[in-house]
Each structure stands twice: as structure tokens, then as C-alpha cells.
Amino acid sequence: MKQKKKILWMLLPVLVFVGCGSQGSVLKRTQEESSLLETQEKEPETADGAETKDGQEENPEQTEESLPEWIYVDVCGAVENPGVYRIEAGSRVFQVLEQAGGCTEDASLETVNQADLLSDGQKIRIYTREEMEQMGDDLRDESQGMETDSQTTSDGRVDINRAGKEELMTLTGIGETRAQAILAYRESHGKFSSVEELMQVEGIKEKTYEKLKNQIRIN
């Protein structure tokens, strides 16, 4: 019995030391967990997994909004480097011409507004001086062709070589069918060489011609 008590007294310091050590370990872990929670609470939160501004990425949406909007413009004609160009929205014609290397020496800018705002998908064509002259000739020819709708002379006679259908129908004995026949004859045979040739048109005989011969002329 005495021997057992003696052993217990010898083991008691060991048990006390072990118990204290366990409590110390638990206390240490508790303190570490508290510190970790405090650190996490202090860290700033960011949206969508983006990082903070300290040398890190920003919110992707904010980055996307800050990018400039781009448009595409087709530049052709008398420029050094024709092609499709990507340029910032809000740019003007002269800026995309600069991207295309500028205009050639024979370019004509008379009809180009270089200060005009560009739009996406726009086509800018620069004509040469020769092309501009040719277009001028074409416009003059077109305006002359339009005169065929009004070819009544000062004496009231109608030029049957240039008059249109409506004006031909003002002639005595000429309705829509005969007016169309005159135009068809003129298209296939060319201009009338004399007013008497009008009798060669289908549906116009001598009797009809006699009624209107004083109302017509050729040029």
C-alpha cells in the first residue's frame, strides 16, 4: 500500500505537466484562429473575384467601359493605301484619310467634306480630277436627255426627234398608242430625217399626217 502511494506521488508532477501542456496548446490554437479571422475581416472584398488596386487587376466591367469604341471605315479611290481601317468612334474624315496614307497627287477633294464625322461601315471614295471631269460630262449629257420631255418650240411646234410620250400626245390624232409607236420607231431607226418620215410609223397614215404636219418639226 505504501508502495502504491509512493508511485502516485512520483507520477503526479508528470500528470500536472502534461495537463498544463495540453491546455497551453488549445489556448495557442484559439489565439491563432482569432488572429486569422481578424485578418480576413480587414481584407477588402472585391466583386467577381477581381483584385484590389495595389498593383492588381480591376473589375472587368470597369475595364471594359474605359476602352474606346471602335468603328470600321472603307477608304477607296485616289488614296495611297486603300482598304478598311479601324478608327476610334467620333473621328472625322481627314483622320481616316491620314491612316490611309493621304490622297494621291491627282485626287480631287471638291466633293469631300473632310470635317465630317465618320460612322461605322461608312465608305469614303476619293475621285481623281479626271473622274470628276468625266462625271461632269455625264451630268451634262443626262440633263440634255431630260430635255426630251419638253421640246415645244417658241412657235408651238413639237420636235418629234426629242419629245417624250406626254408631249407627243398633245399632237392632233396622236394618242398613247401612236405616241408609244413614235418612240419605238425612233429607238429602232434613229432620228427622223424629215417630218414626212413620220408616216413610216405604224398607225400614222397620210390623213393623220396632214392634220398634224404644221404642229411638228425636227432638229
Side-chain angles (χ1 to χ4, degrees):
M1 186 68 178
K2 291 180 179 181
Q3 186 67 25
K4 289 181 179 180
K5 288 181 179 181
K6 186 176 180 180
I7 293 172
L8 288 173
W9 281 107
M10 292 174 65
L11 292 174
L12 184 59
V14 176
L15 293 173
V16 172
F17 175 79
V18 172
C20 291
S22 299
Q23 291 176 357
S25 298
V26 172
L27 180 60
K28 184 177 180 181
R29 286 197 301 272
T30 303
Q31 291 174 342
E32 290 175 350
E33 291 173 354
S34 298
S35 299
L36 181 59
L37 288 173
E38 289 177 359
T39 302
Q40 291 176 346
E41 289 175 355
K42 290 178 181 178
E43 289 180 354
E45 294 182 357
T46 56
D48 300 328
E51 298 177 11
T52 59
K53 292 184 179 179
D54 297 333
Q56 295 145 358
E57 295 181 0
E58 298 178 350
N59 190 319
E61 295 181 359
Q62 294 176 349
T63 304
E64 208 169 286
E65 291 176 357
S66 64
L67 289 175
E69 183 182 352
W70 299 95
I71 59 175
Y72 293 86
V73 179
D74 185 5
V75 183
C76 62
V79 292
E80 295 293 344
N81 301 299
V84 176
Y85 287 89
R86 180 175 180 261
I87 192 168
E88 189 174 350
S91 299
R92 298 182 183 271
V93 171
F94 77 92
Q95 292 173 303
V96 76
L97 290 180
E98 289 177 355
Q99 283 197 27
C103 298
T104 59
E105 292 182 358
D106 60 341
S108 174
L109 296 174
E110 293 178 7
T111 60
V112 180
N113 181 4
Q114 296 189 66
D116 207 4
L117 284 171
L118 295 169
S119 59
D120 188 41
Q122 184 176 353
K123 184 169 186 175
I124 304 294
R125 180 177 181 83
I126 306 299
Y127 292 97
T128 63
R129 287 186 290 272
E130 183 179 350
E131 288 173 330
M132 290 297 295
E133 291 175 3
Q134 182 63 45
M135 284 193 293
D137 293 339
D138 291 343
L139 289 173
R140 284 192 291 273
D141 292 342
E142 184 178 345
S143 64
Q144 290 173 0
M146 292 174 64
E147 293 176 2
T148 57
D149 290 333
S150 181
Q151 292 304 318
T152 301
T153 60
S154 58
D155 60 3
R157 292 184 297 168
V158 174
D159 185 346
I160 59 175
N161 276 334
R162 303 180 67 180
K165 183 174 72 172
E166 298 296 329
E167 196 164 8
L168 289 170
M169 289 173 62
T170 64
L171 297 171
T172 302
I174 303 298
E176 184 176 0
T177 301
R178 287 177 176 173
Q180 190 64 49
I182 293 172
L183 295 176
Y185 181 90
R186 200 166 68 193
E187 183 177 350
S188 59
H189 295 80
K191 292 182 178 182
F192 292 99
S193 58
S194 66
V195 292
E196 291 82 3
E197 190 181 348
L198 186 63
M199 289 186 287
Q200 302 296 322
V201 176
E202 183 179 0
I204 300 178
K205 303 301 180 185
E206 185 177 357
K207 186 176 181 180
T208 302
Y209 171 75
E210 288 296 328
K211 291 179 181 179
L212 58 80
K213 67 180 181 180
N214 294 327
Q215 302 173 24
I216 60 176
R217 64 184 291 272
I218 61 171
N219 184 19

